[in-house]
Amino acid sequence: MSVDTTPTTTSRDGQGQDAAREQLSLSTAAARNLATTTKSEPQMQEISSRWLLRKLPWVHVPGGSYRVNRRLSYAVGDGRLTFIKNGSKVRVVPAELAELPLLNKFDDTTALGALADKFVQKEYEPGQVIVQAGKKADQVFLIAHGKVEKVGSGKYDDQEARLGMLADGDSFGGQMLAGGNGKWEFTVRAVTTTTVLALSQAAYKSVADQHEALRAHVQSLSSDGHKRTNKYGEVAIDFLSGHDGEPDLPTTFVDYELSPREYELSVAQTVLKVHTRVADLYNQPMNQTEQQLRLTIHALREAQEHELVNNREFGLLHNAEYNQRIQSPSGPPTPDDLDDLISMRRGTQFLFAHPRAIAAFGKECNKRGLYFGSVDVGGHQLPAWRGIPLLPCGKIPVTEQHTSSIIAMRTGEDNEGVIGLYQTGIPDEYEPGLNVRFMGIDEKAIMSYLVSTYYSAAILVPDAIGILENVEVRPRA
């Protein structure tokens, strides 16, 4: 039998007590009442790196709007179309047909509705040819869903050269409306299961015969297309070079757009309320009003960056030209895709992508055994491709289908790039382009402050920004 030898203490009344329960000094819980607590500033999870706001050059706009003057261009609308789906049937929104090159800015809804009714729905499986190079080009095709690739003949007869990718909302063959007996200069092949709407030349003529305004509009735009332009669609500047003797020199001038685009400053605002009792009595060691303002301003700056990316009027995703958008053939973003995106413009300075898109790109690099480089940006080591920083931007959306976009841009006024717009020197300015205005104290002793920030963004020339669209960011098995 074992014997318990645990030491005990005996009180004066003879009762034993456990020595471990005896308190020999002041407890920390009691001592804390006499101590000064060290506190952090209020923290907020919403705060992000906001690289887009940091890297955009901000231009002062004293008049509240910014006009982008450009050289006159005959490049007509070649935008993206919208469709209505009813079960398995798809129909193009009639007004959206004005995005086709030769229907640009045509607004006769009756004629467009009649034209929309003439489109025929067709389905293609991956690998099926939609049009064949060398065949007669007598149809307009609208891609309602899916991806297709344009391919042409390479330098040698047995080679193919990929000319580009088209996806939802894109179109090809629109010049067919001008008539003629042209032939397809490329082959179009389905990459995924694809739904297209096709309009034959005969169907178009039957509508044009009934709507003279439609025929006249197409003829006027097709005649503009015969004017001499450079590869960007701008009116050509005539000159003579490499000549001998005394030939007559051509005369020329540089024409401008008659209706240049103007960007008005947008605004994000809120009213901050602080009770006077809080501001009077609880200001040590931190000023309550200043902390409230700090977090409110962070929230407004986050909203500002979100608008610069997603706003339909001036947001970068919605204002990039459609000929500056490319698709990823394989799904996730690959080194080849980023090389194609960078090559679309001179002097690409930044790439912006959602962190999940950056991770997906890194995985593709790992699969190929490629080194994902880095560059120093303001003291931060950030991922880079071809020496161009790949900056995280959580404001670029990820869709329910786990797809996102990657933005490439050139920045600065002198560089004919993308710029941010704001106005400095506004009344009660707290930060550049942001002011805090005291609105008074109400009958409940609550102080109110109007916090406002004014901003916008402008794309000076179309190739200042390009987008790699619909890249898959989902984890792969």
Side-chain angles (χ1 to χ4, degrees):
M1 175 182 287
S2 62
V3 178
D4 184 3
T5 59
T6 304
T8 61
T9 60
T10 304
S11 64
R12 290 181 180 178
D13 59 6
Q15 295 179 353
Q17 293 181 344
D18 190 341
R21 295 182 180 180
E22 202 173 286
Q23 182 175 328
L24 302 178
S25 65
L26 183 68
S27 70
T28 57
R32 197 174 296 127
N33 292 327
L34 302 183
T36 299
T37 302
T38 302
K39 296 173 282 292
S40 74
E41 288 187 339
Q43 306 297 301
M44 188 165 88
Q45 191 171 341
E46 186 183 7
I47 299 174
S48 67
S49 55
R50 300 200 291 264
W51 281 109
L52 180 61
L53 293 188
R54 292 197 216 178
K55 293 305 170 186
L56 274 183
W58 290 90
V59 175
H60 174 48
V61 182
S65 65
Y66 185 92
R67 179 180 297 160
V68 179
N69 290 305
R70 290 179 178 172
R71 184 172 158 189
L72 181 63
S73 172
Y74 284 117
V76 294
D78 192 15
R80 194 153 291 178
L81 298 101
T82 304
F83 301 87
I84 300 172
K85 195 171 189 299
N86 184 7
S88 61
K89 299 296 183 182
V90 179
R91 184 174 187 267
V92 63
V93 176
E96 292 289 301
L97 290 174
E99 294 294 335
L100 291 173
L102 292 181
L103 295 179
N104 185 41
K105 299 180 180 179
F106 183 67
D107 57 3
D108 186 333
T109 55
T110 303
L112 292 177
L115 207 57
D117 292 336
K118 294 293 184 179
F119 279 86
V120 178
Q121 182 174 335
K122 297 183 179 181
E123 309 286 340
Y124 294 90
E125 294 300 318
Q128 275 191 285
V129 173
I130 300 175
V131 301
Q132 182 70 49
K135 300 291 186 180
K136 184 178 179 181
D138 58 356
Q139 294 186 83
V140 180
F141 290 91
L142 315 179
I143 303 173
H145 179 69
K147 284 185 180 181
V148 303
E149 60 178 352
K150 294 168 60 177
V151 295
S153 57
K155 183 177 180 180
Y156 304 101
D157 293 339
D158 59 346
Q159 287 186 328
E160 279 188 346
R162 177 179 286 160
L163 305 178
M165 297 285 297
L166 301 174
D168 302 11
D170 286 328
S171 64
F172 59 95
Q175 296 298 331
M176 175 276 295
L177 301 180
N181 297 313
K183 296 183 178 181
W184 292 111
E185 298 178 352
F186 47 80
T187 296
V188 178
R189 190 162 50 217
V191 175
T192 65
T193 301
T194 303
T195 301
V196 303
L197 298 182
L199 175 71
S200 67
Q201 200 169 58
Y204 161 72
K205 287 182 177 179
S206 67
V207 176
D209 289 342
Q210 299 175 18
H211 298 84
E212 183 57 35
L214 173 62
R215 182 190 299 277
H217 182 87
V218 170
Q219 288 178 346
S220 66
L221 283 189
S222 61
S223 63
D224 279 347
H226 295 298
K227 297 183 179 180
R228 291 185 61 248
T229 62
N230 60 20
K231 64 179 181 180
Y232 304 106
E234 298 169 328
V235 179
I237 297 176
D238 294 324
F239 57 86
L240 195 62
S241 62
H243 51 280
D244 294 323
E246 299 176 349
D248 292 335
L249 297 180
T251 61
T252 191
F253 69 97
V254 181
D255 207 352
Y256 305 130
E257 289 184 350
L258 294 178
S259 301
R261 178 170 180 179
E262 290 190 2
Y263 293 85
E264 293 188 357
L265 294 184
S266 183
V267 62
Q269 291 179 305
T270 189
V271 176
L272 173 64
K273 293 182 176 290
V274 182
H275 200 288
T276 52
R277 182 172 63 247
V278 171
D280 291 342
L281 302 181
Y282 301 98
N283 267 348
Q284 295 297 330
M286 299 176 195
N287 186 297
Q288 292 284 356
T289 303
E290 289 293 328
Q291 293 301 320
Q292 290 284 300
L293 273 176
R294 182 179 67 85
L295 297 181
T296 300
I297 289 171
H298 273 301
L300 284 179
R301 292 301 191 196
E302 294 292 332
Q304 176 182 349
E305 186 173 64
H306 181 273
E307 290 292 295
L308 289 174
V309 173
N310 297 288
N311 187 283
R312 298 199 69 86
E313 293 298 321
F314 58 85
L316 301 180
L317 285 180
H318 293 285
N319 283 268
E321 296 287 339
Y322 287 113
N323 60 10
Q324 294 295 321
R325 301 168 185 259
I326 59 174
Q327 308 290 327
S328 173
S330 59
T334 66
D336 293 339
D337 296 333
L338 258 63
D339 284 344
D340 290 341
L341 183 63
I342 292 168
S343 68
M344 294 171 67
R345 72 200 43 76
R346 60 175 173 83
T348 301
Q349 293 172 286
F350 302 107
L351 296 163
F352 293 92
H354 192 280
R356 289 176 60 186
I358 296 176
F361 176 67
K363 292 175 185 177
E364 292 301 310
C365 290
N366 294 339
K367 289 179 184 179
R368 303 186 183 199
L370 298 177
Y371 175 69
F372 203 145
S374 64
V375 294
D376 182 272
V377 181
H380 300 270
Q381 286 296 320
L382 295 172
W385 182 249
R386 306 297 189 195
I388 301 171
L390 184 52
L391 303 177
C393 181
K395 311 304 187 301
I396 299 175
V398 175
T399 68
E400 294 179 356
Q401 292 75 36
H402 302 282
T403 62
S404 187
S405 300
I406 297 177
I407 302 174
M409 70 171 68
R410 181 179 67 246
T411 62
E413 272 190 311
D414 295 339
N415 211 16
E416 295 180 315
V418 181
I419 58 174
L421 306 175
Y422 71 161
Q423 186 177 136
T424 59
I426 56 180
D428 300 313
E429 190 168 56
Y430 192 84
E431 293 180 359
L434 181 147
N435 64 354
V436 179
R437 311 193 77 171
F438 180 61
M439 299 174 63
I441 304 174
D442 65 15
E443 65 277 4
K444 296 181 180 179
I446 296 177
M447 299 184 294
S448 298
Y449 297 88
L450 176 64
V451 188
S452 310
T453 179
Y454 302 92
Y455 57 87
S456 188
I459 301 170
L460 299 187
V461 295
D463 76 343
I465 184 171
I467 300 178
L468 175 63
E469 294 185 310
N470 300 319
V471 295
E472 293 182 5
V473 298
R474 76 176 76 226
R476 292 204 161 193

PDB file of all heavy atoms in Angstrom, residues 61-89:
ATOM      1  N   VAL A  61      -7.279  68.738 -62.218  1.00  0.00           N
ATOM      2  CA  VAL A  61      -8.334  69.141 -63.149  1.00  0.00           C
ATOM      3  C   VAL A  61      -9.076  70.323 -62.529  1.00  0.00           C
ATOM      4  O   VAL A  61     -10.063  70.154 -61.806  1.00  0.00           O
ATOM      5  CB  VAL A  61      -9.304  67.969 -63.415  1.00  0.00           C
ATOM      6  CG1 VAL A  61     -10.369  68.382 -64.424  1.00  0.00           C
ATOM      7  CG2 VAL A  61      -8.544  66.752 -63.920  1.00  0.00           C
ATOM      8  N   PRO A  62      -8.619  71.549 -62.775  1.00  0.00           N
ATOM      9  CA  PRO A  62      -9.229  72.705 -62.097  1.00  0.00           C
ATOM     10  C   PRO A  62     -10.661  72.970 -62.510  1.00  0.00           C
ATOM     11  O   PRO A  62     -11.438  73.533 -61.741  1.00  0.00           O
ATOM     12  CB  PRO A  62      -8.305  73.869 -62.495  1.00  0.00           C
ATOM     13  CG  PRO A  62      -7.620  73.419 -63.738  1.00  0.00           C
ATOM     14  CD  PRO A  62      -7.481  71.937 -63.625  1.00  0.00           C
ATOM     15  N   GLY A  63     -11.057  72.578 -63.728  1.00  0.00           N
ATOM     16  CA  GLY A  63     -12.411  72.860 -64.194  1.00  0.00           C
ATOM     17  C   GLY A  63     -13.406  71.765 -63.890  1.00  0.00           C
ATOM     18  O   GLY A  63     -14.573  71.865 -64.278  1.00  0.00           O
ATOM     19  N   GLY A  64     -12.967  70.679 -63.228  1.00  0.00           N
ATOM     20  CA  GLY A  64     -13.880  69.595 -62.898  1.00  0.00           C
ATOM     21  C   GLY A  64     -14.100  68.593 -64.002  1.00  0.00           C
ATOM     22  O   GLY A  64     -14.799  67.599 -63.815  1.00  0.00           O
ATOM     23  N   SER A  65     -13.532  68.826 -65.195  1.00  0.00           N
ATOM     24  CA  SER A  65     -13.643  67.863 -66.294  1.00  0.00           C
ATOM     25  C   SER A  65     -12.349  67.885 -67.113  1.00  0.00           C
ATOM     26  O   SER A  65     -11.609  68.878 -67.092  1.00  0.00           O
ATOM     27  CB  SER A  65     -14.853  68.167 -67.194  1.00  0.00           C
ATOM     28  OG  SER A  65     -14.691  69.404 -67.842  1.00  0.00           O
ATOM     29  N   TYR A  66     -12.101  66.797 -67.829  1.00  0.00           N
ATOM     30  CA  TYR A  66     -10.865  66.636 -68.596  1.00  0.00           C
ATOM     31  C   TYR A  66     -11.235  66.172 -69.998  1.00  0.00           C
ATOM     32  O   TYR A  66     -11.916  65.153 -70.172  1.00  0.00           O
ATOM     33  CB  TYR A  66      -9.956  65.615 -67.910  1.00  0.00           C
ATOM     34  CG  TYR A  66      -8.594  65.449 -68.525  1.00  0.00           C
ATOM     35  CD1 TYR A  66      -7.509  66.195 -68.089  1.00  0.00           C
ATOM     36  CD2 TYR A  66      -8.367  64.518 -69.543  1.00  0.00           C
ATOM     37  CE1 TYR A  66      -6.244  66.023 -68.631  1.00  0.00           C
ATOM     38  CE2 TYR A  66      -7.111  64.342 -70.108  1.00  0.00           C
ATOM     39  CZ  TYR A  66      -6.053  65.101 -69.637  1.00  0.00           C
ATOM     40  OH  TYR A  66      -4.801  64.932 -70.182  1.00  0.00           O
ATOM     41  N   ARG A  67     -10.810  66.927 -71.011  1.00  0.00           N
ATOM     42  CA  ARG A  67     -11.135  66.597 -72.402  1.00  0.00           C
ATOM     43  C   ARG A  67      -9.941  65.910 -73.059  1.00  0.00           C
ATOM     44  O   ARG A  67      -8.818  66.417 -73.019  1.00  0.00           O
ATOM     45  CB  ARG A  67     -11.498  67.859 -73.178  1.00  0.00           C
ATOM     46  CG  ARG A  67     -11.841  67.609 -74.652  1.00  0.00           C
ATOM     47  CD  ARG A  67     -12.177  68.912 -75.341  1.00  0.00           C
ATOM     48  NE  ARG A  67     -13.363  69.516 -74.751  1.00  0.00           N
ATOM     49  CZ  ARG A  67     -13.669  70.794 -74.880  1.00  0.00           C
ATOM     50  NH1 ARG A  67     -12.874  71.604 -75.563  1.00  0.00           N
ATOM     51  NH2 ARG A  67     -14.763  71.275 -74.322  1.00  0.00           N
ATOM     52  N   VAL A  68     -10.188  64.761 -73.684  1.00  0.00           N
ATOM     53  CA  VAL A  68      -9.141  64.019 -74.383  1.00  0.00           C
ATOM     54  C   VAL A  68      -9.260  64.300 -75.875  1.00  0.00           C
ATOM     55  O   VAL A  68     -10.137  63.758 -76.559  1.00  0.00           O
ATOM     56  CB  VAL A  68      -9.246  62.505 -74.104  1.00  0.00           C
ATOM     57  CG1 VAL A  68      -8.168  61.757 -74.868  1.00  0.00           C
ATOM     58  CG2 VAL A  68      -9.115  62.223 -72.611  1.00  0.00           C
ATOM     59  N   ASN A  69      -8.402  65.174 -76.403  1.00  0.00           N
ATOM     60  CA  ASN A  69      -8.386  65.474 -77.832  1.00  0.00           C
ATOM     61  C   ASN A  69      -7.533  64.445 -78.558  1.00  0.00           C
ATOM     62  O   ASN A  69      -6.409  64.167 -78.154  1.00  0.00           O
ATOM     63  CB  ASN A  69      -7.826  66.874 -78.076  1.00  0.00           C
ATOM     64  CG  ASN A  69      -8.784  67.953 -77.607  1.00  0.00           C
ATOM     65  OD1 ASN A  69      -9.938  67.982 -78.022  1.00  0.00           O
ATOM     66  ND2 ASN A  69      -8.318  68.826 -76.722  1.00  0.00           N
ATOM     67  N   ARG A  70      -8.077  63.899 -79.615  1.00  0.00           N
ATOM     68  CA  ARG A  70      -7.362  62.885 -80.391  1.00  0.00           C
ATOM     69  C   ARG A  70      -7.382  63.258 -81.872  1.00  0.00           C
ATOM     70  O   ARG A  70      -8.234  64.021 -82.331  1.00  0.00           O
ATOM     71  CB  ARG A  70      -8.015  61.500 -80.223  1.00  0.00           C
ATOM     72  CG  ARG A  70      -7.843  60.872 -78.848  1.00  0.00           C
ATOM     73  CD  ARG A  70      -8.547  59.534 -78.787  1.00  0.00           C
ATOM     74  NE  ARG A  70      -8.386  58.871 -77.506  1.00  0.00           N
ATOM     75  CZ  ARG A  70      -9.024  57.765 -77.159  1.00  0.00           C
ATOM     76  NH1 ARG A  70      -9.891  57.212 -78.011  1.00  0.00           N
ATOM     77  NH2 ARG A  70      -8.812  57.223 -75.978  1.00  0.00           N
ATOM     78  N   ARG A  71      -6.463  62.659 -82.592  1.00  0.00           N
ATOM     79  CA  ARG A  71      -6.434  62.786 -84.040  1.00  0.00           C
ATOM     80  C   ARG A  71      -7.667  62.094 -84.630  1.00  0.00           C
ATOM     81  O   ARG A  71      -8.114  61.055 -84.121  1.00  0.00           O
ATOM     82  CB  ARG A  71      -5.149  62.119 -84.537  1.00  0.00           C
ATOM     83  CG  ARG A  71      -4.873  62.227 -86.020  1.00  0.00           C
ATOM     84  CD  ARG A  71      -3.468  61.689 -86.248  1.00  0.00           C
ATOM     85  NE  ARG A  71      -3.248  61.261 -87.616  1.00  0.00           N
ATOM     86  CZ  ARG A  71      -2.162  60.603 -88.007  1.00  0.00           C
ATOM     87  NH1 ARG A  71      -1.214  60.313 -87.134  1.00  0.00           N
ATOM     88  NH2 ARG A  71      -2.021  60.247 -89.268  1.00  0.00           N
ATOM     89  N   LEU A  72      -8.235  62.684 -85.670  1.00  0.00           N
ATOM     90  CA  LEU A  72      -9.431  62.132 -86.289  1.00  0.00           C
ATOM     91  C   LEU A  72      -9.172  60.710 -86.759  1.00  0.00           C
ATOM     92  O   LEU A  72      -8.146  60.406 -87.361  1.00  0.00           O
ATOM     93  CB  LEU A  72      -9.872  62.995 -87.474  1.00  0.00           C
ATOM     94  CG  LEU A  72     -11.132  62.532 -88.211  1.00  0.00           C
ATOM     95  CD1 LEU A  72     -12.338  62.564 -87.294  1.00  0.00           C
ATOM     96  CD2 LEU A  72     -11.367  63.386 -89.447  1.00  0.00           C
ATOM     97  N   SER A  73     -10.132  59.841 -86.463  1.00  0.00           N
ATOM     98  CA  SER A  73      -9.999  58.433 -86.829  1.00  0.00           C
ATOM     99  C   SER A  73     -11.256  57.987 -87.542  1.00  0.00           C
ATOM    100  O   SER A  73     -12.372  58.406 -87.211  1.00  0.00           O
ATOM    101  CB  SER A  73      -9.769  57.582 -85.577  1.00  0.00           C
ATOM    102  OG  SER A  73      -9.813  56.218 -85.895  1.00  0.00           O
ATOM    103  N   TYR A  74     -11.083  57.130 -88.544  1.00  0.00           N
ATOM    104  CA  TYR A  74     -12.219  56.541 -89.238  1.00  0.00           C
ATOM    105  C   TYR A  74     -12.501  55.133 -88.753  1.00  0.00           C
ATOM    106  O   TYR A  74     -13.300  54.420 -89.326  1.00  0.00           O
ATOM    107  CB  TYR A  74     -11.972  56.497 -90.754  1.00  0.00           C
ATOM    108  CG  TYR A  74     -12.131  57.841 -91.405  1.00  0.00           C
ATOM    109  CD1 TYR A  74     -11.062  58.465 -92.023  1.00  0.00           C
ATOM    110  CD2 TYR A  74     -13.350  58.498 -91.392  1.00  0.00           C
ATOM    111  CE1 TYR A  74     -11.205  59.706 -92.619  1.00  0.00           C
ATOM    112  CE2 TYR A  74     -13.499  59.748 -91.979  1.00  0.00           C
ATOM    113  CZ  TYR A  74     -12.421  60.334 -92.593  1.00  0.00           C
ATOM    114  OH  TYR A  74     -12.567  61.554 -93.174  1.00  0.00           O
ATOM    115  N   ALA A  75     -11.821  54.734 -87.683  1.00  0.00           N
ATOM    116  CA  ALA A  75     -12.111  53.420 -87.105  1.00  0.00           C
ATOM    117  C   ALA A  75     -13.508  53.471 -86.505  1.00  0.00           C
ATOM    118  O   ALA A  75     -13.796  54.275 -85.640  1.00  0.00           O
ATOM    119  CB  ALA A  75     -11.097  53.066 -86.031  1.00  0.00           C
ATOM    120  N   VAL A  76     -14.409  52.616 -87.014  1.00  0.00           N
ATOM    121  CA  VAL A  76     -15.802  52.650 -86.567  1.00  0.00           C
ATOM    122  C   VAL A  76     -16.033  51.579 -85.522  1.00  0.00           C
ATOM    123  O   VAL A  76     -15.175  50.759 -85.237  1.00  0.00           O
ATOM    124  CB  VAL A  76     -16.755  52.455 -87.767  1.00  0.00           C
ATOM    125  CG1 VAL A  76     -16.645  53.622 -88.712  1.00  0.00           C
ATOM    126  CG2 VAL A  76     -16.463  51.148 -88.489  1.00  0.00           C
ATOM    127  N   GLY A  77     -17.253  51.613 -84.927  1.00  0.00           N
ATOM    128  CA  GLY A  77     -17.547  50.740 -83.798  1.00  0.00           C
ATOM    129  C   GLY A  77     -17.287  49.282 -84.087  1.00  0.00           C
ATOM    130  O   GLY A  77     -17.742  48.741 -85.079  1.00  0.00           O
ATOM    131  N   ASP A  78     -16.595  48.642 -83.229  1.00  0.00           N
ATOM    132  CA  ASP A  78     -16.336  47.212 -83.339  1.00  0.00           C
ATOM    133  C   ASP A  78     -16.437  46.635 -81.938  1.00  0.00           C
ATOM    134  O   ASP A  78     -15.544  45.967 -81.445  1.00  0.00           O
ATOM    135  CB  ASP A  78     -14.943  46.960 -83.926  1.00  0.00           C
ATOM    136  CG  ASP A  78     -14.756  45.507 -84.325  1.00  0.00           C
ATOM    137  OD1 ASP A  78     -15.760  44.794 -84.413  1.00  0.00           O
ATOM    138  OD2 ASP A  78     -13.608  45.101 -84.519  1.00  0.00           O
ATOM    139  N   GLY A  79     -17.565  46.953 -81.278  1.00  0.00           N
ATOM    140  CA  GLY A  79     -17.700  46.628 -79.871  1.00  0.00           C
ATOM    141  C   GLY A  79     -18.281  45.250 -79.634  1.00  0.00           C
ATOM    142  O   GLY A  79     -18.359  44.406 -80.508  1.00  0.00           O
ATOM    143  N   ARG A  80     -18.696  45.044 -78.403  1.00  0.00           N
ATOM    144  CA  ARG A  80     -19.204  43.747 -77.966  1.00  0.00           C
ATOM    145  C   ARG A  80     -20.715  43.797 -77.884  1.00  0.00           C
ATOM    146  O   ARG A  80     -21.302  44.790 -77.455  1.00  0.00           O
ATOM    147  CB  ARG A  80     -18.587  43.414 -76.610  1.00  0.00           C
ATOM    148  CG  ARG A  80     -18.754  41.983 -76.206  1.00  0.00           C
ATOM    149  CD  ARG A  80     -17.646  41.573 -75.275  1.00  0.00           C
ATOM    150  NE  ARG A  80     -16.374  41.515 -75.964  1.00  0.00           N
ATOM    151  CZ  ARG A  80     -15.239  41.217 -75.358  1.00  0.00           C
ATOM    152  NH1 ARG A  80     -15.211  40.984 -74.072  1.00  0.00           N
ATOM    153  NH2 ARG A  80     -14.115  41.164 -76.042  1.00  0.00           N
ATOM    154  N   LEU A  81     -21.349  42.712 -78.267  1.00  0.00           N
ATOM    155  CA  LEU A  81     -22.798  42.671 -78.349  1.00  0.00           C
ATOM    156  C   LEU A  81     -23.390  41.926 -77.161  1.00  0.00           C
ATOM    157  O   LEU A  81     -22.727  41.112 -76.523  1.00  0.00           O
ATOM    158  CB  LEU A  81     -23.245  42.006 -79.655  1.00  0.00           C
ATOM    159  CG  LEU A  81     -22.812  42.746 -80.934  1.00  0.00           C
ATOM    160  CD1 LEU A  81     -21.606  42.084 -81.547  1.00  0.00           C
ATOM    161  CD2 LEU A  81     -23.947  42.805 -81.931  1.00  0.00           C
ATOM    162  N   THR A  82     -24.676  42.190 -76.895  1.00  0.00           N
ATOM    163  CA  THR A  82     -25.400  41.556 -75.805  1.00  0.00           C
ATOM    164  C   THR A  82     -26.532  40.722 -76.376  1.00  0.00           C
ATOM    165  O   THR A  82     -27.154  41.096 -77.370  1.00  0.00           O
ATOM    166  CB  THR A  82     -25.959  42.623 -74.845  1.00  0.00           C
ATOM    167  OG1 THR A  82     -24.889  43.445 -74.387  1.00  0.00           O
ATOM    168  CG2 THR A  82     -26.633  41.981 -73.645  1.00  0.00           C
ATOM    169  N   PHE A  83     -26.802  39.588 -75.701  1.00  0.00           N
ATOM    170  CA  PHE A  83     -27.798  38.643 -76.203  1.00  0.00           C
ATOM    171  C   PHE A  83     -28.845  38.356 -75.134  1.00  0.00           C
ATOM    172  O   PHE A  83     -28.611  38.506 -73.932  1.00  0.00           O
ATOM    173  CB  PHE A  83     -27.129  37.335 -76.625  1.00  0.00           C
ATOM    174  CG  PHE A  83     -26.087  37.506 -77.697  1.00  0.00           C
ATOM    175  CD1 PHE A  83     -24.770  37.804 -77.350  1.00  0.00           C
ATOM    176  CD2 PHE A  83     -26.413  37.392 -79.033  1.00  0.00           C
ATOM    177  CE1 PHE A  83     -23.807  37.978 -78.324  1.00  0.00           C
ATOM    178  CE2 PHE A  83     -25.454  37.565 -80.020  1.00  0.00           C
ATOM    179  CZ  PHE A  83     -24.148  37.861 -79.661  1.00  0.00           C
ATOM    180  N   ILE A  84     -30.034  37.927 -75.589  1.00  0.00           N
ATOM    181  CA  ILE A  84     -31.106  37.486 -74.712  1.00  0.00           C
ATOM    182  C   ILE A  84     -31.271  35.985 -74.902  1.00  0.00           C
ATOM    183  O   ILE A  84     -31.355  35.504 -76.032  1.00  0.00           O
ATOM    184  CB  ILE A  84     -32.434  38.201 -75.046  1.00  0.00           C
ATOM    185  CG1 ILE A  84     -32.281  39.720 -74.887  1.00  0.00           C
ATOM    186  CG2 ILE A  84     -33.564  37.686 -74.165  1.00  0.00           C
ATOM    187  CD1 ILE A  84     -33.479  40.494 -75.381  1.00  0.00           C
ATOM    188  N   LYS A  85     -31.323  35.254 -73.775  1.00  0.00           N
ATOM    189  CA  LYS A  85     -31.458  33.800 -73.846  1.00  0.00           C
ATOM    190  C   LYS A  85     -32.824  33.390 -73.323  1.00  0.00           C
ATOM    191  O   LYS A  85     -33.221  33.786 -72.231  1.00  0.00           O
ATOM    192  CB  LYS A  85     -30.350  33.124 -73.040  1.00  0.00           C
ATOM    193  CG  LYS A  85     -30.182  31.641 -73.347  1.00  0.00           C
ATOM    194  CD  LYS A  85     -28.926  31.102 -72.672  1.00  0.00           C
ATOM    195  CE  LYS A  85     -28.621  29.687 -73.141  1.00  0.00           C
ATOM    196  NZ  LYS A  85     -29.675  28.724 -72.836  1.00  0.00           N
ATOM    197  N   ASN A  86     -33.544  32.623 -74.107  1.00  0.00           N
ATOM    198  CA  ASN A  86     -34.846  32.100 -73.709  1.00  0.00           C
ATOM    199  C   ASN A  86     -34.822  30.599 -73.910  1.00  0.00           C
ATOM    200  O   ASN A  86     -35.037  30.098 -75.011  1.00  0.00           O
ATOM    201  CB  ASN A  86     -35.955  32.755 -74.528  1.00  0.00           C
ATOM    202  CG  ASN A  86     -37.336  32.320 -74.077  1.00  0.00           C
ATOM    203  OD1 ASN A  86     -37.470  31.622 -73.069  1.00  0.00           O
ATOM    204  ND2 ASN A  86     -38.351  32.723 -74.812  1.00  0.00           N
ATOM    205  N   GLY A  87     -34.530  29.878 -72.809  1.00  0.00           N
ATOM    206  CA  GLY A  87     -34.324  28.445 -72.948  1.00  0.00           C
ATOM    207  C   GLY A  87     -33.066  28.179 -73.749  1.00  0.00           C
ATOM    208  O   GLY A  87     -31.996  28.683 -73.443  1.00  0.00           O
ATOM    209  N   SER A  88     -33.205  27.411 -74.825  1.00  0.00           N
ATOM    210  CA  SER A  88     -32.056  27.126 -75.687  1.00  0.00           C
ATOM    211  C   SER A  88     -31.931  28.123 -76.831  1.00  0.00           C
ATOM    212  O   SER A  88     -30.969  28.075 -77.598  1.00  0.00           O
ATOM    213  CB  SER A  88     -32.174  25.704 -76.263  1.00  0.00           C
ATOM    214  OG  SER A  88     -33.365  25.588 -77.045  1.00  0.00           O
ATOM    215  N   LYS A  89     -32.896  29.036 -76.953  1.00  0.00           N
ATOM    216  CA  LYS A  89     -32.891  30.008 -78.036  1.00  0.00           C
ATOM    217  C   LYS A  89     -32.161  31.285 -77.607  1.00  0.00           C
ATOM    218  O   LYS A  89     -32.319  31.765 -76.493  1.00  0.00           O
ATOM    219  CB  LYS A  89     -34.319  30.362 -78.461  1.00  0.00           C
ATOM    220  CG  LYS A  89     -35.120  29.163 -78.973  1.00  0.00           C
ATOM    221  CD  LYS A  89     -34.511  28.596 -80.249  1.00  0.00           C
ATOM    222  CE  LYS A  89     -35.362  27.457 -80.794  1.00  0.00           C
ATOM    223  NZ  LYS A  89     -34.750  26.856 -82.005  1.00  0.00           N
TER     224      LYS A  89
END
